[in-house]
Amino acid sequence: MVSELRDELNRYSDGEKLPSSRALVARYGVGPVTVSRAISSLAAEGLVVARPGSGVFKAPSRRATTAGGDLSWQEVALSADPPHSAVDVGPRGVDANGLLATLVAPPPEVIDLNGGYPHAVLRPERALAAALARAGRRPGTWSRPPVEGLAELREWFARDVGGPGGPLSASDVLVTGGGQSALTTALRALAAPGSPVLVESPGYPGTLAVARAAGLRPVPVPVDADGVRTDLLADAFAATRARLFVCQPLFHNPTGAVLSPRRRTEVVRVARAAGAFVVEDDFARRMVHADSPPAPPPLAADDPDGVVVHIRSLTKATSPSLRIGALTARGPAWERLRAVQVVDGLLIPRPLQETTLELVGSPAWTRHLRTLAEALRERRTALLAALGGALPELLPERPPPGGYHLWLRLPDGTDEHAVVASALRHGVAVTAGGPYFPAESPAPHLRLSHVGAPGTGHLEEGVRRLRRALIDTGVFPVTVSPDPG
């Protein structure tokens, strides 16, 4: 409908009023919501102007961009480093492709097995709306917040990370604008440009993007089914003299691995011996499944020496727009983190902090987490069953006990990018494995997410479409019907 309305606008003069929403509903045979979304899309493009109480009008025509400008100078300005640079930080470009691949929403007709944020049906939207309304009535909600974050919210995060009566206090917590912002602050604060930073391989593309944007050199440390290889971690510290290791010990992205008990102890011991920090990205703590065993406590909960800098975010379990998280650190590192965050962003919006306090302090929060855990279990089970019926060759040996994705090993020699493109043509969006590796990928992979689709039926249909894509690209021969029952 958007394209039809866009074409129709060519017949209107600037400022002319469009037909009413009721007339458009009748003309196009669609519902009021569809009309409203179409008008919103055109308004976002600057093609129409909505005036409450008056109607929708064609916007004034935009003047064509003046031709003849020479923008080629920017290529030099954005690439040249100063002479006699003390530190070689490499190219200054920022590669966000790995992040953007999971942030850009696919077209409505495409099944989303790619996204990193839960579908609207999994979000606590009523609880969020109620919390926002209550927060709006709190005295001082629109006043300036403390630089470190609201005291009550910092206390809540200290209990949430360290446990009741644990080693952490509110003074160890810094409220952040979500997990990605916290990760950026941590890497910029704890490592100098040009220095190495140890990262998991495969690992979260957002970590790689942040590290490279900060002028750091990511050095891969392999991950297996039990998490990071601590023997190779010790070797990497010795070889690079790095002072920072970034990891996701719980429901690791993309493999879903949980760091084994022995390796948990080793990670902190090895880092402490190297005089290095461990940045613990605990992004999926709230994404446990209803049948998961009890999740191990964070590394930061048993860290008397301040080795671990902990990142906790509520975004995954709530909404992409509730960008509230926390950095937890002890000692001088906390002061460094605070200084970098203030320089980068000044303050975290108080209304969001107040809303978060209202949400986590309400009975609706506990109910939502129970509902989410059950839904994640159901979706994981449905996706594994669909793979078992249509693509048993790709089933992971050890399905993850939490999180929201599966990591699939493709046959050697597979062009994973061709598979992703073919899958999109068949109407399903999946993620190539290459961007998750800091260096050359040792094998082709796909990552499938089960939280971006509306329901389990969509997951099953998505796997059927993926199977057709794999057959079309020659990954699997056609031995049976492309659409098994």
Side-chain angles (χ1 to χ4, degrees):
M1 179 181 177
V2 173
S3 59
E4 293 169 320
L5 275 178
R6 191 183 293 113
D7 292 340
E8 187 176 329
L9 283 173
N10 294 327
R11 300 198 297 269
Y12 287 76
S13 57
D14 289 356
E16 186 175 351
K17 185 177 181 180
L18 274 65
S20 67
S21 295
R22 182 176 297 179
L24 292 174
V25 165
R27 178 183 302 179
Y28 291 102
V30 297
V33 173
T34 301
V35 170
S36 176
R37 288 176 177 170
I39 294 297
S40 296
S41 296
L42 295 177
E45 295 176 28
L47 299 178
V48 299
V49 176
R51 298 172 186 157
S54 300
V56 178
F57 303 82
K58 182 179 179 181
S61 300
R62 291 173 288 190
R63 296 171 58 187
T65 302
T66 303
D70 182 5
L71 303 179
S72 58
W73 67 272
Q74 293 188 8
E75 186 174 352
V76 176
L78 293 172
S79 302
D81 288 319
H84 311 299
S85 175
V87 178
D88 178 14
V89 298
R92 291 188 290 155
V94 179
D95 181 5
N97 290 332
L99 278 175
L100 290 171
T102 59
L103 290 176
V104 177
E109 68 275 10
V110 174
I111 295 175
D112 186 0
L113 300 186
N114 172 60
Y117 289 109
H119 190 274
V121 299
L122 297 175
R123 299 177 203 149
E125 294 195 346
R126 283 190 177 182
L128 282 167
L132 181 62
R134 293 194 300 272
R137 295 191 294 269
R138 281 188 172 205
T141 288
W142 292 97
S143 301
R144 183 177 66 185
V147 170
E148 303 83 3
L150 297 182
E152 300 96 322
L153 188 55
R154 295 170 69 199
E155 289 172 2
W156 183 86
F157 272 117
R159 293 191 303 272
D160 192 50
V161 175
L168 301 175
S169 67
S171 61
D172 301 318
V173 176
L174 186 69
V175 177
T176 69
Q180 189 69 19
S181 174
L183 190 59
T184 300
T185 297
L187 266 64
R188 283 190 4 93
L190 302 176
S195 62
V197 55
L198 305 186
V199 297
E200 295 170 312
S201 180
Y204 172 48
T207 299
L208 302 179
V210 167
R212 289 166 179 153
L216 306 178
R217 296 187 290 109
V219 177
V221 183
V223 169
D224 63 19
D226 290 320
V228 67
R229 290 272 306 275
T230 47
D231 56 334
L232 298 179
L233 178 65
D235 292 344
F237 272 124
T240 64
R241 299 185 182 276
R243 292 293 179 263
L244 194 61
F245 170 52
V246 186
C247 62
Q248 294 179 335
L250 184 66
F251 310 144
H252 169 262
N253 183 10
T255 67
V258 177
L259 192 62
S260 68
R262 184 184 65 81
R263 292 188 185 180
R264 286 170 54 84
T265 304
E266 275 294 285
V267 163
V268 178
R269 186 194 67 77
V270 167
R272 179 69 182 87
F277 290 99
V278 174
V279 175
E280 180 184 18
D281 182 7
D282 202 10
F283 77 106
R285 175 68 52 173
R286 301 298 183 186
M287 305 298 280
V288 297
H289 301 176
D291 57 354
S292 299
L299 300 179
D302 185 22
D303 172 39
D305 298 328
V307 174
V308 180
V309 173
H310 184 87
I311 295 175
R312 174 70 55 86
S313 173
L314 300 180
T315 303
K316 290 291 186 192
T318 55
S319 163
S321 292
L322 190 70
R323 305 212 64 79
I324 289 291
L327 270 168
T328 302
R330 306 176 74 185
W334 186 88
E335 294 289 348
R336 181 79 64 86
L337 293 165
R338 176 179 182 264
V340 170
Q341 174 163 294
V342 169
V343 168
D344 283 351
L346 290 183
L347 303 168
I348 306 303
R350 183 162 185 156
L352 276 184
Q353 295 190 59
E354 298 281 7
T355 298
T356 303
L357 272 173
E358 288 287 350
L359 176 66
V360 299
S362 70
W365 175 239
T366 304
R367 290 197 299 269
H368 165 65
L369 293 180
R370 285 198 300 265
T371 301
L372 179 62
E374 184 58 42
L376 292 175
R377 180 202 62 78
E378 181 182 358
R379 285 164 175 261
R380 181 208 68 211
T381 301
L383 185 55
L384 287 170
L387 286 169
L391 294 167
E393 304 90 340
L394 300 186
L395 275 173
E397 291 184 10
R398 192 190 299 182
Y404 55 90
H405 48 263
L406 299 179
W407 184 240
L408 309 184
R409 169 72 152 80
L410 295 173
D412 290 338
T414 300
D415 184 342
E416 61 184 33
H417 296 289
V419 170
V420 170
S422 177
L424 198 57
R425 290 193 297 271
H426 281 278
V428 59
V430 296
T431 311
Y436 291 83
F437 290 91
E440 293 82 4
S441 170
H445 291 81
L446 291 180
R447 195 196 76 155
L448 303 189
S449 166
H450 54 69
V451 294
T456 55
H458 295 82
L459 300 178
E460 294 159 0
E461 174 60 24
V463 170
R464 287 193 288 269
R465 296 181 184 185
L466 176 59
R467 184 178 190 275
R468 292 197 290 271
L470 290 166
I471 290 174
D472 281 0
T473 51
V475 177
F476 295 120
V478 183
T479 55
V480 294
S481 166
D483 295 293

